Amino acid sequence: MTEAHAALDGLVDRNLVEDLDSTRYGLHDLMRQYSVELCVRTDSPSDRRLGLGRLFDFVLEAALRVADLLEPGVVRAQVTHVWSGHPELAEALGESTAEWLETERTELVTMVRSAHEAGFYRHTWQLARSLWRFCYIRGYYEDIILTHTAALAAVEAAGDVDAMAMVNNYLASAYVRTGDNRKALDHLTRSVALSRDSRDVLSAARYRANLAAIYWWSGQLTESVELGFECLRDYKVYGNLGSRSCCRTSAWHSWRWGAIRKRCSFIVATWPGRGRTPTNSIC
């Protein structure tokens, strides 16, 4: 790390690299283009791919550390990543904070698309998934669409069915928040279909619960309540994955409009949030 800092300082002194804030550095567009051309001329394809893989590994690890704070115990259950980089790099990351993601947001979104273009399919969808919660809570829904569209292409190319189901689910979350319920319904329908025979029964139950909510927001009240009752049965078998919450949401809306009131009344009566209108949020 000491040698790396010294090399960067030398480049800054020669105006070849720009010191942005003493911890981040940038390249002029002409220098970036020259660097790419030089790399292509002097490094073998295998060396270039090895370097890219190390870069994506490092960025994914950094993003996952922040994601762990935003989704404790959740994201690591979906993203399996074992980083084998130098310990000094891990120490250089310092304390994991969401502000790091904020500062590097544009570059991270670009990194997801670059990983897909370079054929690093696992890094593509795992980095997109690691960024999801941060982008969702800060309202960067277009970033979710951009990263997860690339992620979907990557998992389809890799043939990873479970990852396809998951990526479709999170794409739907962004379309819901941008008001495109048609696309959200399309992606969640795919999630449910893809996860039908999955061993990951917990995620499959979550996708069905989310689809029940989308049915309601799309005006398909009967489908919403019928699927909601399936989710309630899932809850009894698999535990609280949000299925009960989405089921009660569907039942509450249907009850308000007079649809299937008798079937829904016992759920509404026991719902701690009765009297409040549920928000259009899925997970």
Side-chain angles (χ1 to χ4, degrees):
M1 290 300 295
T2 302
E3 293 178 2
H5 280 299
L8 283 170
D9 289 340
L11 292 172
V12 170
D13 292 340
R14 294 171 176 80
N15 296 316
L16 298 176
V17 170
E18 182 182 2
D19 186 348
L20 302 178
D21 60 10
S22 76
T23 60
R24 300 171 68 246
Y25 297 85
L27 280 175
H28 186 279
D29 288 343
L30 290 176
M31 285 301 304
R32 181 179 293 107
Q33 182 61 34
Y34 172 73
S35 299
V36 170
E37 293 173 356
L38 183 62
C39 179
V40 171
R41 288 202 307 267
T42 59
D43 297 326
S44 68
S46 60
D47 284 343
R48 295 199 301 271
R49 186 166 183 81
L50 180 62
L52 273 177
R54 289 173 175 171
L55 173 62
F56 294 141
D57 269 345
F58 173 75
V59 172
L60 177 56
E61 177 64 23
L64 271 173
R65 292 186 179 203
V66 181
D68 276 338
L69 301 177
L70 302 178
E71 300 180 85
V74 177
V75 67
R76 290 282 186 177
Q78 297 177 330
V79 175
T80 303
H81 175 66
V82 179
W83 187 56
S84 57
H86 295 291
E88 295 87 352
L89 287 177
E91 295 173 3
L93 283 174
E95 182 181 0
S96 300
T97 67
E99 292 313 307
W100 180 81
L101 293 182
E102 184 68 60
T103 300
E104 304 292 348
R105 181 169 66 91
T106 301
E107 286 72 19
L108 290 168
V109 171
T110 300
M111 193 78 69
V112 172
R113 301 172 72 178
S114 296
H116 172 236
E117 292 169 1
F120 288 85
Y121 297 141
R122 178 182 64 82
H123 292 84
T124 303
W125 74 260
Q126 290 189 344
L127 182 55
R129 173 61 187 91
S130 300
L131 298 174
W132 175 77
R133 175 60 70 180
F134 166 79
C135 291
Y136 190 82
I137 61 180
R138 299 211 174 184
Y140 299 135
Y141 307 123
E142 292 300 328
D143 285 353
I144 294 176
I145 293 172
L146 284 173
T147 56
H148 283 70
T149 296
L152 185 57
V155 294
E156 287 176 345
D160 189 334
V161 176
D162 283 345
M164 289 183 215
M166 183 190 67
V167 172
N168 273 291
N169 176 69
Y170 289 113
L171 254 178
S173 73
Y175 283 121
V176 166
R177 302 301 288 180
T178 55
D180 196 337
N181 285 341
R182 183 185 62 80
K183 286 187 177 179
L185 182 60
D186 180 50
H187 283 292
L188 268 173
T189 300
R190 293 183 201 174
S191 287
V192 171
L194 287 164
S195 62
R196 198 173 304 280
D197 298 322
S198 174
R199 294 181 179 179
D200 186 357
V201 294
L202 304 184
S203 291
R206 182 182 293 110
Y207 305 151
R208 288 196 300 275
N210 288 337
L211 182 57
I214 295 294
Y215 275 145
W216 156 249
W217 297 320
S218 301
Q220 301 179 51
L221 303 184
T222 300
E223 292 87 345
S224 175
V225 172
E226 288 178 351
L227 186 54
F229 270 83
E230 290 184 24
C231 293
L232 184 60
R233 288 193 292 272
D234 288 340
Y235 165 75
K236 292 178 179 178
V237 175
Y238 302 125
N240 188 359
L241 301 171
S243 299
R244 177 171 62 176
S245 174
C246 286
C247 177
R248 287 172 170 171
T249 296
S250 305
W252 170 249
H253 286 309
S254 299
W255 179 85
R256 287 185 63 201
W257 288 100
I260 324 178
R261 183 177 303 200
K262 291 184 179 179
R263 293 183 64 190
C264 300
S265 60
F266 80 93
I267 298 178
V268 174
T270 60
W271 178 28
R274 59 185 179 276
R276 300 195 303 270
T277 301
T279 59
N280 56 334
S281 178
I282 64 177
C283 61

